[in-house]
Structures are given as structure tokens and as C-alpha cells.
Amino acid sequence: MYPKDPHRRTARRSTRAAAALLTVSAALVAGCGGGGPSTGAAPPTAGCPAVLASAGAAVAQAEKADTSWHGPTTGPAAVPGKSIVYVAQTMTNPGVAGVAKGVEEAAKAIGWQVRVIDGEGTPAGIQAALSQAITLAPSGIVIGGFDPQLTSQQMARAEAARIPVIGWHAVGSPGPSERPRLFTNVTTKVEDVAKISADWIIARSEGGAGVVLFTDDSIPFARNKSQLIRKQLATCPGVRLLSYENIPIPDAASRTAQAVSSLLSRFQDEWTYSVAINDLYFADAAPALRAAGKPGAGPPFNIGAGDGDPSAFQRINSEQFQAATVPEPLNQQGWQIVDEFNRAFAEQPASGYVAPVHIATAQNSDGATSWDPSGYREGYRRIWAG
């Protein structure tokens, strides 16, 4: 029996090492957004090759920044002389404020008047703001980021006065609603946002991650989103949910840092990824992660399944404890709200348009502080011109 050739063994080891390096390199390129996640075969450690391939393809599509306008191209010409009141849950919420800015910009373009009333984040304040809006007898009212069930009496008054109401994040699904009565509700699909957030973790980690999920179960919409995220993460056995952190959004500033410190103590290096139903959790997590000596660029690699507010983009662009967000096109949605009102005033149905999900990273945001896709301003102006 002849001895084994050591050079042949070395060559085989080199070939295996090169193959492994290619796999790791592909994963790193995918995770950093440089061309999107690999959709090829999963590494041997991944127990979900089909899920991994599907997640990679979905993330690559969502990370594209050069998207063209696929919204409505037909509709009624501008109905003149209208007025809109935007009732905000609170203008300190960057998502709510971002949509308000879009409504104001679009109203100026179509030739309408807009007034913003701040509900200041409390049930009493929101009810008072909506009551004031109805008293002004506007052509239409926007429910800006709060549950209309909190204002059932005021909603009944608006319906009795035949004032059309359009929601932004008012109910769980996009489109018209009978109860509460909304001409339409403008939002991305929560199912799509939840799935792409989980897919990003699955794809970037190549099917192997220890995840912490931050949510607020007191908000039905948020609870539903977090459960959908949890369900999608579970499709890949190598992606383990380490902890489900239920922290009410109003308490996030006081509770998140302590929770993060506890999580670091419990899981240490097992904690490699985080997902939150809103970006704001990572603003509050950052000081605790920094104090623990964690690198700003991760791990843990953090993605927000939330509005994509400017501070989230700043953290992402500077690689400070947030790697990605699934942002709403806030300004575009403001324009959509104005277009939907124009359809209501012209006694036409809602457009049915729902913005596709997008993932923003440092590699594709080009230093921007919001997700503002191109083409919608021109598209809506052409419709309104008749």
C-alpha cells in the first residue's frame, strides 16, 4: 500500500478552501447590497436552500434603487378649489410628518389648500384634532397614522357630514375600508414588509442567524407585523429567534437600552441580527451597543421594518448600529393621498395602487435620508393636467 501523496492532499484542501471562500465572499457581497444576495446554492450549513434562494432573489429586487414609476397613469383631471385637513397622530413621528410634507407639496401642485392639525400623540389630543378638522368643514380629511377606532364618534360625524376620509397607516391593509369608512388607506402591504425584512436576515446570514425581534404588542398592526416576521424567519431552521422583545413604543426610550444590555449578557455572540417593527428602537439601542463595545457596522446587524425615517438613514449611512430599513416612500404617499382625494371628488374609485417594498442600505441610498423614488411627481401632474 503506497503512502498518500501530500501534494494531492494539499491541492484538495486548497480547492475546498477556495470554494468555501467563494461562498463566503458571495454572502458578504450579498449582505452588503453590492449586487444583491446570492441566489445560488446554499452553503452546506444552511438547512433551507429553497428558502435561501427565494429570499436572495426577493432582496436583490427590493434593493434596486433605479426603479421607475409603476403607479397610476390615468385618472380624473384636477378638481379645483378643494381643501384638505391632515390630522396627525403626532408630528414628532417622522413617518407621519414625512407624509404631511408630501400632502402639502402635492396640494400646492394641484392648487388646493392644506392645514395640518397635530394630535400630539394622545387619544384625547387626536380626538380633539379630528373634531377641529370636522368643524372646519374641509373637502377631505386625512387620518395620519392612528387607529380610527380611537375616534369613532368623530368618524361618525365626518361620515354624516359626507366628508371623505383617507387614511395613512390607519388600518392594516391598503385600499378602501367600510368599517371604519375610508375612501382608501395608503400604506405598503404589511405582509410584504414583514416578509422582506425576514428575507434580508435569511439571505444576508446565508441561513444562519441568532435574531432578536423588537415589537409593540399593544398596537394590533405592529403585533401582526411582528408575528409575520416571526413566521417567515421560522421557514429557515438555521435562523433562530433568540428573543421576542415586547416594548411599547412610548416606553422605547426608557426601556430599550436596559433590554439590550440584558440581551448582550444572555446571548453574547449568539446575537447576530435584529429586526424591529419600527426604526426608532435602534436609536435607543445604539448607546447600549456602543457601551458594550459592539462595532457600529455590526454584529448584530439591524434592520427596521418601519417607516424609514431620516435618523434611520443617518445611522445606516454612517454604519452606526443599523444596517438596513424597509422604508415607506413617505413623500410619494403624500402625493398619492392627494390623487386619491381627487378621484373621490370626481366620484371615481380609488386607484388601487400599492407601493412596492424597498430595502435601503448604505450601498444603495447614496447618502439620502429618505426613500424618494423617481417619476411619481411627473406621473401625477400628467393625470391632473387632464
Side-chain angles (χ1 to χ4, degrees):
M1 186 173 181
Y2 296 99
K4 294 180 180 178
D5 184 348
H7 297 290
R8 188 173 297 170
R9 289 201 306 271
T10 301
R12 283 199 299 268
R13 283 196 300 267
S14 297
T15 301
R16 288 196 299 268
L21 182 58
L22 284 172
T23 300
V24 172
S25 297
L28 289 174
V29 169
C32 294
S38 169
T39 58
T45 54
C48 56
V51 173
L52 187 59
S54 175
V59 171
Q61 178 64 33
E63 285 185 341
K64 290 181 179 178
D66 56 347
T67 56
S68 56
W69 174 239
H70 296 295
T73 57
T74 60
V79 178
K82 298 298 181 178
S83 61
I84 302 298
V85 175
Y86 183 96
V87 180
Q89 180 256 348
T90 171
M91 288 295 283
T92 61
N93 181 319
V96 172
V99 175
K101 180 180 176 183
V103 169
E104 291 174 327
E105 183 182 283
K108 184 177 180 180
I110 203 172
W112 296 349
Q113 298 296 315
V114 174
R115 178 167 177 177
V116 177
I117 303 177
D118 191 348
E120 299 181 346
T122 67
I126 292 167
Q127 290 164 4
L130 187 50
S131 291
Q132 183 182 353
I134 295 165
T135 301
L136 293 170
S139 308
I141 294 173
V142 184
I143 300 296
F146 60 89
D147 183 353
Q149 302 294 348
L150 295 172
T151 55
S152 56
Q153 292 182 355
Q154 289 80 10
M155 290 292 290
R157 285 178 55 202
E159 186 174 346
R162 304 181 66 82
I163 301 172
V165 178
I166 289 177
W168 179 80
H169 284 208
V171 293
S173 301
S177 169
E178 283 298 321
R179 287 291 177 266
R181 182 173 291 279
L182 301 173
F183 178 75
T184 194
N185 181 54
V186 175
T187 181
T188 49
K189 291 182 179 178
V190 67
E191 297 87 353
D192 294 345
V193 173
K195 184 177 184 300
I196 202 66
S197 303
D199 279 347
W200 181 85
I201 292 174
I202 292 168
R204 196 185 194 283
S205 69
E206 287 287 288
V211 184
V212 172
L213 195 165
F214 294 93
T215 188
D216 180 352
D217 277 350
S218 69
I219 302 173
F221 182 84
R223 183 173 64 249
N224 181 37
K225 184 191 292 187
S226 60
Q227 292 303 320
L228 290 167
I229 292 170
R230 190 175 194 168
K231 181 179 178 181
Q232 182 63 14
L233 290 173
T235 62
C236 189
V239 176
R240 297 170 299 116
L241 183 62
L242 301 177
S243 184
Y244 183 95
E245 294 293 314
N246 176 25
I247 301 175
I249 286 176
D251 298 338
S254 61
R255 289 179 51 185
T256 303
Q258 183 179 352
V260 167
S261 296
S262 176
L263 290 163
L264 288 169
S265 177
R266 287 167 59 197
F267 299 112
Q268 300 182 34
D269 292 342
E270 288 184 76
W271 179 14
T272 55
Y273 285 82
S274 310
V275 57
I277 54 94
N278 192 294
D279 295 300
L280 63 83
Y281 288 98
F282 299 128
D284 299 317
L289 291 169
R290 187 179 294 111
K294 291 291 181 179
F301 303 101
N302 301 322
I303 182 169
D307 298 338
D309 65 74
S311 67
F313 274 83
Q314 290 163 6
R315 287 190 297 276
I316 291 164
N317 293 333
S318 60
E319 297 186 327
Q320 288 299 303
F321 307 104
Q322 188 166 350
T325 186
V326 183
E328 298 275 350
L330 301 172
N331 204 74
Q332 175 193 299
Q333 289 174 331
W335 279 67
Q336 182 183 347
I337 287 169
V338 170
D339 180 68
E340 302 290 5
F341 272 124
N342 196 53
R343 294 167 193 270
F345 301 149
E347 299 184 349
Q348 293 192 16
S351 71
Y353 177 67
V354 179
V357 291
H358 174 69
I359 297 174
T361 67
Q363 286 68 37
N364 69 10
S365 68
D366 196 28
T369 56
S370 66
W371 169 230
D372 195 29
S374 62
Y376 66 89
R377 293 178 177 88
E378 297 79 5
Y380 282 125
R381 282 193 176 104
R382 282 193 292 269
I383 294 173
W384 301 338

